[in-house]
Amino acid sequence: MAEVLPLRAWRYSEEWTNTLEDLVAPLFDVVSEKQREMLYHHPFNSIHLSVPQGDNPPVQAQKTLEKWKNEGILKQDDLPGIYVYYQYFRLPGEGEMRCRKGFIAQIKAYDWSENQILRHESTIVSAVTDRIDLLAATQIQASPTHGLYEDESQELEKYMDAAIASPLYEVEDYQGVREVLAVIHDARIISRFLEIMKSKQVILADGHHRLEGAIEYRKQQKDSFPELTWKGSDFHLMYFTNAHGNDLKILPTHRLYYGLDLSDEELLEKLSQWFDMRPFGDAEELATYTFQRKWSFGLVLKDQAWIIKFKPELWSQIKPELPVSLRNLELVILHEVLFHQILGITSEDQRKSKNLAFERNFSRCIREVREGKADFAVITREIDLEQVLEVCKSGAVMPQKSTYFYPKALGGLLFASIRQEEFESNYEAFFEKY
């Protein structure tokens, strides 16, 4: 049973509402260096809490947070609520406006073994440690992770649609997405949210490192406040979206490789043992190529481009110990064949290899190879949501950077405190039978 609670969010005070676009920030793991430097120039941007600077960043973030609280820059809402969060966006080349509907609440930071929150990617230890240290120092969460639930009835959407008609905020973010936030305070409606969510498993779409940090912090604090039913250190901020009837878009993440020890001819010869190879005239045209055939990719070298398709008769050689749902994934085949079998990088080493980079921007991939910085690029296509759900339910995990759910949730729209005196509320009222 997934335990979900409303929250008394900390938010920028009303005097900052008209300049909120200057205060929000991308998530810590997608913000570029140039974006960071620009955002750091604003003394009250939320990046100072999510990606703090200084010799001891967690301590610096804690001092910044206390200063903002004391000066009234951040204020805590009086009542707990469910925060409705809609994201309006268009994809390149589309005229149609999409809307991803969801809500932000608190969920218990379940250990993966409890099988309440299912992951699809592994985490990197150093990145998790950073998140634990930051959470322990500040006891604040500056952005929600993103979880999917499945509810074909779509009952909660009617409550969310009603709330979003009276928004708290409406901003345009760094992605060009219109972000709209509203709140539900009605205890009867909140109770219905909690009732529906308690029977759901949650598929973690984004935020594996932040949730892993919350899980470890919950373990560290397991002996604190033993007399209490609800402890702040047990909970985690999450943005929930319904996998049914929602505008959930997964964009591809391409691969770049640096420091190749083989010549282009040697690489192509080794690839031909595993893939059917077809020359492709202009690498730029791969941006609109639809990759209709299963297990196919684009390969960009400095002076040539190829369409490569994995030979299905070799599929039995792809990690037979893995679940079929995982072995069927194109990125599993790509990573096992190209990076492991051909280039000799084990699955574990791939996660921390300095030779392998992940890039969402197609044009940047082409530029890196054409300028001789990268040896080659592999152009991939997006994974289907159904495949993500199938792998998660199997208990397996995908190669890193397999998914890029778009648009990303935004940091700084609200903050969730796990400090016990700020977390506490009359949660019992939401479990009464109406």
Side-chain angles (χ1 to χ4, degrees):
M1 183 175 77
E3 189 169 355
V4 174
L5 296 176
L7 73 146
R8 292 176 56 222
W10 286 83
R11 297 188 289 119
Y12 284 103
S13 61
E14 288 187 8
E15 65 185 276
W16 294 100
T17 301
N18 291 333
T19 59
L20 196 61
E21 289 180 1
D22 297 327
L23 306 177
V24 294
L27 302 179
F28 88 99
D29 54 351
V30 298
V31 61
S32 68
E33 289 294 334
K34 288 184 177 180
Q35 282 177 314
R36 279 186 201 180
E37 291 308 314
M38 180 183 68
L39 296 173
Y40 283 138
H41 281 106
H42 197 297
F44 302 130
N45 188 280
S46 61
I47 199 170
H48 294 289
L49 301 183
S50 59
V51 194
Q53 296 175 295
D55 295 333
N56 191 331
V59 171
Q60 182 58 50
Q62 189 272 332
K63 291 179 179 177
T64 299
L65 176 61
E66 292 307 309
K67 181 175 184 291
W68 289 3
K69 288 179 179 178
N70 292 335
E71 294 181 358
I73 295 165
L74 294 182
K75 293 183 178 180
Q76 190 173 25
D77 287 348
D78 293 328
L79 297 174
I82 295 287
Y83 291 81
V84 179
Y85 182 25
Y86 281 16
Q87 295 177 290
Y88 298 88
F89 64 101
R90 289 187 176 91
L91 294 175
E94 287 189 355
E96 174 191 1
M97 178 69 73
R98 297 170 178 258
C99 177
R100 188 168 71 187
K101 301 180 179 183
F103 64 93
I104 299 174
Q106 302 178 104
I107 185 171
K108 185 167 284 187
Y110 292 101
D111 190 82
W112 307 119
S113 62
E114 295 179 82
N115 212 35
Q116 292 295 333
I117 301 177
L118 307 180
R119 59 179 168 175
H120 68 270
E121 288 185 2
S122 297
T123 51
I124 299 172
V125 173
S126 59
V128 173
T129 300
D130 289 345
R131 294 299 101 187
I132 297 171
D133 293 343
L134 184 60
L135 186 60
T138 63
Q139 298 187 63
I140 201 82
Q141 297 161 95
S143 61
T145 55
H146 180 194
L148 310 177
Y149 66 96
E150 296 182 83
D151 181 23
E152 293 186 13
S153 74
Q154 300 185 42
E155 178 182 343
L156 298 180
E157 275 74 354
K158 65 182 179 183
Y159 302 121
M160 293 191 286
D161 286 344
I164 210 71
S166 302
L168 297 170
Y169 305 136
E170 188 168 341
V171 300
E172 183 175 307
D173 73 2
Y174 71 103
Q175 307 163 103
V177 175
R178 183 160 62 95
E179 311 266 5
V180 185
L181 188 75
V183 65
I184 297 172
H185 287 310
D186 188 312
R188 292 174 183 265
I189 296 176
I190 292 174
S191 295
R192 190 60 189 147
F193 273 76
L194 307 190
E195 179 69 22
I196 287 177
M197 292 303 298
K198 76 177 184 181
S199 63
K200 305 298 182 186
Q201 277 185 319
V202 174
I203 308 291
L204 188 62
D206 260 334
H208 287 70
H209 292 93
R210 281 171 288 152
L211 182 51
E212 183 86 42
I215 292 169
E216 291 304 313
Y217 187 70
R218 177 191 174 195
K219 292 177 181 177
Q220 292 175 12
Q221 299 297 311
K222 64 182 176 62
D223 295 326
S224 64
F225 305 106
E227 73 285 359
L228 297 180
T229 302
W230 290 288
K231 301 191 302 181
S233 56
D234 283 350
F235 283 83
H236 174 74
L237 187 67
M238 186 172 283
Y239 168 42
F240 298 91
T241 59
N242 190 352
H244 293 282
N246 212 329
D247 268 314
L248 290 166
K249 185 65 179 176
I250 305 175
L251 301 182
T253 301
H254 312 301
R255 272 62 177 156
L256 286 164
Y257 194 83
Y258 301 81
L260 183 65
D261 292 330
L262 304 172
S263 67
D264 286 355
E265 291 72 21
E266 290 172 320
L267 176 65
L268 292 172
E269 192 279 326
K270 289 179 180 294
L271 281 168
S272 68
Q273 299 173 27
W274 292 87
F275 295 88
D276 292 320
M277 314 280 291
R278 179 164 61 89
F280 193 82
D282 186 351
E284 300 282 353
E285 295 300 318
L286 286 171
T288 56
Y289 192 78
T290 56
F291 295 103
Q292 294 290 334
R293 293 180 179 179
K294 185 178 181 181
W295 300 335
S296 61
F297 310 89
L299 175 68
V300 179
L301 302 172
K302 187 171 184 179
D303 298 315
Q304 52 189 311
W306 298 78
I307 298 295
I308 63 175
K309 179 184 176 297
F310 179 69
K311 297 177 179 180
E313 63 268 23
L314 301 179
W315 182 76
S316 62
Q317 300 181 38
I318 302 297
K319 293 193 169 184
E321 72 277 9
L322 294 179
V324 172
S325 61
L326 198 57
R327 294 175 65 208
N328 269 322
L329 291 182
E330 291 177 345
L331 290 177
V332 169
I333 291 173
L334 176 69
H335 278 254
E336 173 61 16
V337 173
L338 176 54
F339 299 117
H340 183 199
Q341 299 290 346
I342 294 178
L343 297 180
I345 310 172
T346 66
S347 297
E348 180 61 30
D349 288 341
Q350 288 173 30
R351 297 175 57 231
K352 52 190 176 185
S353 174
K354 294 181 180 179
N355 301 89
L356 182 59
F358 304 88
E359 179 57 62
R360 290 175 289 104
N361 188 301
F362 172 84
S363 298
R364 193 171 295 136
C365 287
I366 302 298
R367 188 166 62 249
E368 284 286 291
V369 176
R370 290 271 172 83
E371 294 178 356
K373 297 175 182 177
D375 293 289
F376 66 83
V378 180
I379 307 304
T380 66
R381 62 177 172 184
E382 69 273 14
I383 189 172
D384 293 331
L385 177 60
E386 292 74 17
Q387 291 179 294
V388 177
L389 298 177
E390 187 178 2
V391 170
C392 287
K393 291 172 183 177
S394 76
V397 293
M398 301 178 184
Q400 61 176 325
K401 303 298 182 183
S402 292
T403 62
Y404 187 90
F405 283 86
Y406 182 85
K408 294 294 184 184
L410 195 60
L413 287 176
L414 57 79
F415 306 82
S417 177
I418 59 171
R419 183 178 294 178
Q420 192 58 37
E421 61 269 28
E422 297 175 349
F423 168 84
E424 285 182 357
S425 187
N426 181 25
Y427 295 116
E428 291 86 353
F430 302 106
F431 294 92
E432 296 175 356
K433 297 296 182 182
Y434 287 94

